[in-house]
Amino acid sequence: MPRTAARTRWRLGLTTTALLTAAALVPAPAHAEDVTDYAITVDPSAEGAAIDDTMYGVFFEDINRAADGGLYAELVQNRSFEYSTADNGSYTPLTSWTAGGTAEVVNDSGRLNERNRNYLSLGAGSSVTNAGYNTGIRVDKGKRYDFSVWARATSGTTLTVSLKDTAGTLATARQVAVKGGWAKYKATFTATRTSNRGRLAIASTNAAALDEVSLFPRDTYKNQPNGLRKDLAEKIAALKPGFVRFPGGCLVNTGSMEDYSEASNWQRKRSYQWKDTIGPVEQRATNANFWGYNQSYGLGYYEYFRFSEDIGAMPLPVVPALVTGCGQNKATDDEALLQRHIQDTLDLIEFANGPATSKWGKVRAQMGHPKPFHLTHLGVGNEENLPKEFFARFERFRTAIKAKYPDITVISNSGPDDAGTTFDTAWQLNREGKVDMVDEHYYNSPNWFLQNNDRYDSYDRKGPKVFLGEYASQGNAWKNGLAEAAFMTGLERNADVVKLASYAPLLANEDYVQWRPDMIWFNNRASWNSANYEVQKLFMTNAGDRVVPSEATTTPNVSGPITGAVGLSTWATSAAYDDVKVTSADGSTLLSDDFSGGASKWTTTGRGSWSVQDGSYVQTDTAAENTMVTAGDPGWKDYDLHVKATKKAGKEGFLVAFGVKDTGNYYWWNLGGWNNTQSAIEQAVDGGKGTLMTKPGSIETGRAYDIDIKVRGRQVTLFLDGKEWGSFKDDKPAEPFRQVVTKDAKTGDLIVKVVNAQSAEARTAVDLGGAKVASTARVTTLAADEDAVNTETDTPVTPVTSTLRGVAPKFTYTFPANSVTFLRIKQK
C-alpha cells in the first residue's frame, strides 16, 4: 500500500453512528425538491464484458495486528520471547509477560533451535503470566483450549499452568512434569467462565527453560491445527472471494533482502520471505513487522494457501523484487542475492504446485497437504517508486518463471498512486514489455471515486490487464461505501480490462491501528463489518457472469467556478511566508499582506506555532502537521494569488491553499511533499484528499520561492519562480448516480445495480429493452445516513432484502437517498 508520510494525512477516524430506519429502505413518494428523476436503459440483446469468477477478492496484509492477535488464533502474545527494540522501541523480550520471582530471557547455545534465538530461564519457585492481546485472553465458558510449551529441566520440575482473571480461576489448573532436554508438553483447559481479561500463568517448582508458550482455542476455522480465528475467517469466507492476495503490501518490499541466519547477523528487519514461514512453528523465523510490531510467522505461506483453498479462492502470493518502497526506495544490486530470490520464487511455485515427490512438494506434503494448491497467479514487487530499477528486476523474475512455468500469470505493478510520473513510467514499461497484468493501488477521497467511474473506459483493450490490488476511499463512514460502490460499477463495466480487484486493508484490531480505513474491525471478543465490507459483499456475491450494456441519465451539474479564500500551511516543516497578494481578474486588490503590521488578517486552526518574525509569517514547529492559516472571503473567484515562501527546516516544503471553503474543503499546491520528493495539487472534499496532478521535485532549505496561482473559472495555472509549473481544469463531475447491469448465467437473472450517493431520492424509469421478465424481483438495499459508521454495538449499514412487485419491461423505481440497491430480476 502507499505508506509515505503524506499518505498519513488522509487517514480518517471513525465518526459517530446514525440509526437506519426501516422507512429509509422503502421507496416512497417524496416532495419534488427531494427527488431527482433519472432513466436507465438496458440493451439485453447486446453482449458486454465477461466477468471472471475471480473478479473480486481480498488482500491480507499483517497490518493493524491482522495476523498475530488477529486472524491467527494464537492467544499468547510474544510466545517465544522474541520481541525486540528492532520491532518497536518500547519492546523488551518480556513484553506482555510479568514475572514473579526470577525470570530472564536468554540468548545462548542452550536455545531451542538456531532460528528461535531466545528462551526463558525460569528460577525455582518462580512464575510468569501472559496478558494476551487487547484486554487479555478471551475464553468462552464450556470451550476447550489447547496449551503447549517447549521446556527443558536438568532436574525434574513441575509446571503448574493456570488460566485466571482478577475475579479468579477460569479453568482447572494443569500440572506438567518436565525432565531432560527440550521437549514439547501439552495440556487442555475447559473454560468454566467467560472472560475478556484472562491471563495465562506458568509456575515452576524448580529451575526450567521455556519457549514457544502457546494457547489455542480448539474451535478454530475448519478445526485446522495452528488455525485461524473462527469469526474473522468466517467473515472473510462470507464474501466468497475469488482470490486471496498475500502477504503484502509493504511487508514485501521493505527492509533487508537478506535471510535470517548467522551470515546476515540474524537480520530482523527483513522483507517477507516465504521460506521463513513454513515448517514446524517452533522452527520458523521471527521478523520485525514494517508496521511497528513483531511477526511470529505462525501464520505463514502454508496457512495462507490452506485458507485460500478452504474458502474456494485463488491464492495470489507477492514476492520481493529487490527494490524497496514505502518510503525506503532503494534498489539492491547484489547479483547473487537477486539470483537467490529468483530461485526462491521458483521454489515457491514448486511448493504450491509440485508433486509430493518433488523437493518442495514433499515439504508441503509433510506439512499435511499432499495435493497441489493450484497456484496460477503470482505478483512480483509492490508499489515500487523506482519504476526503471523495478522493471529491470521484474523482467529477470518473469523470464525465469516463464521458462519453467509458462502458464503462471506474472503480475507487475504501477507504483503507489493512481497517476503521476512514477505511474506513467511504470505503465509505459509494462506496455512495452507486454506484461500480463499490472497491479494498481490508490487511496483517494470519496469525491475522487465519484469522479472517476470512467477511469478504465479508455484503457487499451489489447494492453496488459489490470489488477486493482489495493483501493479504498478515506474512511469507514457510509459515504465512503457509497463512493466505492459507485466506482465498482465502473470496474464491472470494464471487466474486460479490470480482471481482479480487492479493497484494502482487510483487517484491523481496534487497539492496534496503523492504517485507516479497514474492512473488518475486531478486538479480542468480537468482530464487526464496516460499511465498506457490506458494499464489497454485495458486489462479490452478486457479480454475475457478463455485463449487459446499459445507459443512464446523469445529475444536472451546477458546480460553477472555483471559489474560496486562500491559505498557508506546513507539514512537519518550518517555513516563512511573505508578500501575500490576491488580485481579482479586473486587477483590483483583494488582499495584500507583507506582515509589517502583524498577522491580524489570518485565522489559525490552532495547529503549529505561527508568529511574525522579521517581517514574515513563520511557522516554527517541525513536528506539527497541516498547520493551515487562512485569509480572505470564501466567495472569492477568478483571482491571482502570489506568495513568497522560504523553507527554514523540516521534512517537506510548502502548502499554499486556494479555493478554501473551510478546513475540510480546499485545494492546495503541495510543494516538496512526500518527504520532499514530489509536488502535487491536492483537493480536499469533506476532509478527504485526492491528487489532481503530481510531479517530482524538492524544495531547498533557505531559498526564497515565488509562488503564483491563477484561478479562472475551474481552470487553474501554477507558476514557480515565474515559470509555468503546470495547469489543470477541475471540471469532472462527482456524479452521484451510477449503475451497471449484469447477467447471472446460472439463474438467468438480470442484476440491476444502482448507487444513489446523494441526499435526494432517485425516481428512475427503468427500460429493460423488451426483455421478458417475471413480475417480481428480489431487492437488496443498503441505505443509511451518509455519516453512519458500523461499530461493535451498532451496525446501521446492514443489508435489507425485500420483494418488488409490478416489474415489467418498463417500470419505475425510486431508489432511496444514500443507497446501494441491487434488483435481481428473473428473465422468462
Side-chain angles (χ1 to χ4, degrees):
M1 321 184 152
R3 311 299 193 199
T4 60
R7 283 288 180 185
T8 64
R9 303 171 187 178
W10 299 354
R11 299 176 184 177
L12 297 181
L14 299 180
T15 59
T16 56
T17 60
L19 293 176
L20 172 63
T21 63
L25 298 176
V26 180
H31 299 296
E33 64 270 19
D34 298 323
V35 177
T36 303
D37 288 324
Y38 296 90
I40 297 174
T41 305
V42 183
D43 184 357
S45 65
E47 194 171 82
I51 301 174
D52 296 345
D53 291 340
T54 52
M55 171 75 176
Y56 294 121
V58 295
F59 164 46
F60 181 92
E61 179 178 10
D62 188 359
I63 183 175
N64 310 314
R65 285 280 187 193
D68 296 327
L71 184 62
Y72 185 48
E74 175 65 75
L75 297 171
V76 176
Q77 183 175 180
N78 190 18
R79 67 183 180 186
S80 194
F81 310 100
E82 296 288 343
Y83 276 28
S84 164
T85 53
D87 309 322
N88 186 295
S90 67
Y91 281 0
T92 74
L94 280 172
T95 292
S96 83
W97 294 92
T98 55
T102 303
E104 180 185 5
V105 175
V106 181
N107 179 349
D108 64 15
S109 59
R111 63 179 65 87
L112 178 60
N113 60 65
E114 282 297 286
R115 290 163 70 83
N116 198 320
R117 307 293 293 167
N118 291 349
Y119 66 93
L120 181 72
S121 176
L122 192 61
S126 300
S127 65
V128 285
T129 302
N130 190 268
Y133 298 93
N134 301 93
T135 56
I137 293 172
R138 164 75 180 198
V139 295
D140 290 289
K141 182 178 179 180
K143 294 290 183 70
R144 300 178 73 186
Y145 298 84
D146 292 324
F147 167 82
S148 65
V149 63
W150 283 80
R152 64 173 170 81
T154 52
S155 59
T157 187
T158 298
L159 301 179
T160 299
V161 187
S162 59
L163 272 171
K164 57 189 177 182
D165 62 11
T166 54
T169 60
L170 294 170
T172 302
R174 301 297 185 210
Q175 306 286 317
V176 177
V178 176
K179 187 174 182 180
W182 285 109
K184 188 175 183 179
Y185 299 88
K186 300 179 181 179
T188 299
F189 294 96
T190 300
T192 55
R193 287 191 294 114
T194 294
S195 176
N196 301 321
R197 302 178 183 277
R199 300 290 188 269
L200 177 73
I202 305 172
S204 181
T205 56
N206 295 314
L210 308 179
D211 208 345
E212 283 291 314
V213 181
S214 175
L215 185 69
F216 255 88
R218 179 73 60 85
D219 189 17
T220 59
Y221 183 67
K222 301 282 188 181
N223 297 312
Q224 296 275 16
N226 195 48
L228 306 181
R229 179 171 152 173
K230 192 173 183 179
D231 63 327
L232 294 178
E234 287 177 343
K235 280 179 165 51
I236 299 169
L239 293 166
K240 300 188 183 303
F243 65 87
V244 178
R245 175 178 179 246
F246 62 88
C250 285
L251 305 188
V252 168
N253 70 334
T254 55
S256 167
M257 298 295 165
E258 300 287 346
D259 62 2
Y260 191 59
S261 67
E262 185 175 8
S264 71
N265 195 29
W266 307 105
Q267 177 64 248
R268 284 293 286 261
K269 294 188 176 182
R270 309 183 313 282
S271 63
Y272 196 111
Q273 299 173 45
W274 77 273
K275 289 179 180 178
D276 286 343
T277 76
I278 61 170
V281 292
E282 70 275 6
Q283 295 178 17
R284 299 183 188 182
T286 189
N287 202 1
N289 182 293
F290 175 80
W291 299 108
Y293 52 90
N294 177 270
Q295 290 175 277
S296 73
Y297 284 147
L299 176 58
Y301 257 71
Y302 176 76
E303 289 76 26
Y304 286 128
F305 277 123
R306 191 179 64 190
F307 180 52
S308 300
E309 181 179 72
D310 284 345
I311 64 177
M314 176 181 78
L316 203 167
V318 182
V319 299
L322 274 71
V323 179
T324 55
C326 302
Q328 297 183 0
N329 303 338
K330 181 181 178 181
T332 300
D333 292 320
D334 186 325
E335 178 63 24
L337 192 57
L338 175 63
Q339 288 292 345
R340 194 266 286 176
H341 275 267
I342 291 172
Q343 185 59 51
D344 280 355
T345 303
L346 297 175
D347 293 344
L348 169 61
I349 299 171
E350 183 176 284
F351 176 77
N353 293 350
T357 54
S358 65
K359 177 181 177 181
W360 290 101
K362 183 178 181 181
V363 173
R364 181 195 68 239
Q366 290 172 340
M367 293 184 72
H369 202 285
K371 294 182 179 180
F373 282 119
H374 306 295
L375 175 68
T376 60
H377 290 63
L378 184 143
V380 176
N382 172 77
E383 293 184 7
E384 283 72 24
N385 270 307
L386 303 173
K388 293 180 180 179
E389 292 85 344
F390 160 73
F391 197 77
R393 288 155 183 78
F394 169 84
E395 287 198 301
R396 298 279 299 278
F397 277 85
R398 182 177 60 163
T399 298
I401 294 168
K402 289 292 188 180
K404 190 169 184 180
Y405 302 104
D407 294 333
I408 295 289
T409 297
V410 186
I411 303 171
S412 181
N413 74 81
S414 59
D417 293 299
D418 62 273
T421 303
T422 296
F423 178 89
D424 292 340
T425 302
W427 256 106
Q428 180 182 352
L429 292 168
N430 286 318
R431 281 192 296 268
E432 292 172 351
K434 300 187 185 303
V435 166
D436 294 333
M437 187 175 286
V438 177
D439 187 3
E440 292 190 355
H441 296 178
Y442 39 80
Y443 298 86
N444 285 317
S445 68
N447 193 68
W448 185 94
F449 282 95
L450 292 175
Q451 288 179 315
N452 284 276
N453 174 275
D454 63 348
R455 175 179 176 86
Y456 297 105
D457 290 3
S458 59
Y459 271 48
D460 183 0
R461 266 49 198 168
K462 296 181 180 179
K465 301 305 180 184
V466 172
F467 171 23
L468 181 49
E470 297 183 31
Y471 73 99
S473 71
Q474 296 146 3
N476 279 139
W478 180 226
K479 63 186 175 185
N480 301 98
L482 284 167
E484 290 155 6
F487 188 73
M488 292 172 77
T489 66
L491 298 183
E492 290 192 359
R493 188 176 64 252
N494 289 284
D496 57 329
V497 169
V498 183
K499 306 305 289 183
L500 308 169
S502 50
Y503 177 101
L506 178 61
L507 295 173
N509 186 322
E510 67 172 351
D511 292 332
Y512 307 93
V513 179
Q514 292 87 43
W515 182 269
R516 300 171 189 266
D518 304 286
M519 189 153 65
I520 300 170
W521 289 79
F522 64 93
N523 50 38
N524 62 346
R525 62 188 177 272
S527 57
W528 56 97
N529 304 332
S530 68
N532 318 67
Y533 174 98
E534 297 297 352
V535 166
Q536 293 294 322
K537 184 179 180 183
L538 190 57
F539 275 85
M540 292 168 82
T541 56
N542 293 278
D545 301 284
R546 186 171 291 278
V547 175
V548 180
S550 61
E551 293 182 352
T553 54
T554 58
T555 308
N557 182 15
V558 291
S559 58
I562 292 174
T563 61
V566 298
L568 309 171
S569 189
T570 58
W571 201 285
T573 301
S574 173
Y577 295 98
D578 203 356
D579 297 334
V580 179
K581 190 170 184 178
V582 181
T583 308
S584 68
D586 63 8
S588 60
T589 299
L590 302 175
L591 172 71
S592 181
D593 201 341
D594 63 4
F595 302 103
S596 58
S600 60
K601 298 176 182 178
W602 298 83
T603 300
T604 70
T605 58
R607 292 187 292 269
S609 180
W610 289 91
S611 62
V612 174
Q613 299 178 15
D614 301 323
S616 296
Y617 202 19
V618 184
Q619 199 292 113
T620 57
D621 188 342
T622 56
E625 299 177 343
N626 191 3
T627 63
M628 177 91 80
V629 294
T630 60
D633 188 335
W636 281 351
K637 64 179 181 179
D638 296 338
Y639 57 77
D640 297 319
L641 166 63
H642 171 80
V643 179
K644 188 177 288 293
T646 305
K647 174 181 176 178
K648 299 177 76 66
K651 297 179 180 179
E652 303 205 351
F654 318 118
L655 296 163
V656 179
F658 55 98
V660 179
K661 300 282 183 60
D662 52 46
T663 57
N665 294 274
Y666 54 86
Y667 300 82
W668 67 20
W669 189 1
N670 184 348
L671 288 148
W674 293 265
N675 288 321
N676 206 15
T677 61
Q678 60 181 302
S679 299
I681 300 298
E682 297 178 275
Q683 181 185 14
V685 178
D686 294 332
K689 291 193 189 69
T691 302
L692 302 182
M693 63 181 301
T694 182
K695 290 184 178 182
S698 59
I699 294 298
E700 299 175 24
T701 301
R703 174 185 164 188
Y705 290 84
D706 283 307
I707 298 166
D708 291 276
I709 301 171
K710 180 180 181 179
V711 181
R712 294 293 185 273
R714 302 200 69 79
Q715 179 76 41
V716 179
T717 308
L718 307 114
F719 301 87
L720 186 62
D721 287 337
K723 296 181 180 179
E724 183 173 332
W725 177 87
S727 64
F728 69 94
K729 191 172 186 179
D730 182 25
D731 59 353
K732 203 169 188 179
E735 173 59 55
F737 186 83
R738 298 290 188 184
Q739 59 81 39
V740 70
V741 180
T742 64
K743 182 178 180 179
D744 186 325
K746 184 177 181 180
T747 65
D749 291 354
L750 289 176
I751 312 172
V752 180
K753 311 172 186 183
V754 177
V755 181
N756 182 30
Q758 60 186 328
S759 57
E761 293 179 339
R763 184 170 52 210
T764 306
V766 181
D767 183 348
L768 297 177
K772 295 181 179 180
V773 295
S775 61
T776 61
R778 181 159 60 90
V779 183
T780 305
T781 308
L782 293 168
D785 180 86
E786 66 175 2
D787 293 320
V789 175
N790 286 354
T791 68
E792 179 183 355
T793 58
D794 184 27
T795 53
V797 182
T798 302
V800 173
T801 58
S802 60
T803 300
L804 173 65
R805 304 188 187 281
V807 177
K810 292 183 179 181
F811 66 98
T812 299
Y813 190 86
T814 300
F815 295 95
N818 299 317
S819 67
V820 179
T821 306
F822 280 27
L823 307 175
R824 290 194 73 115
I825 303 171
K826 289 195 174 296
Q827 295 191 88
K828 293 181 179 179

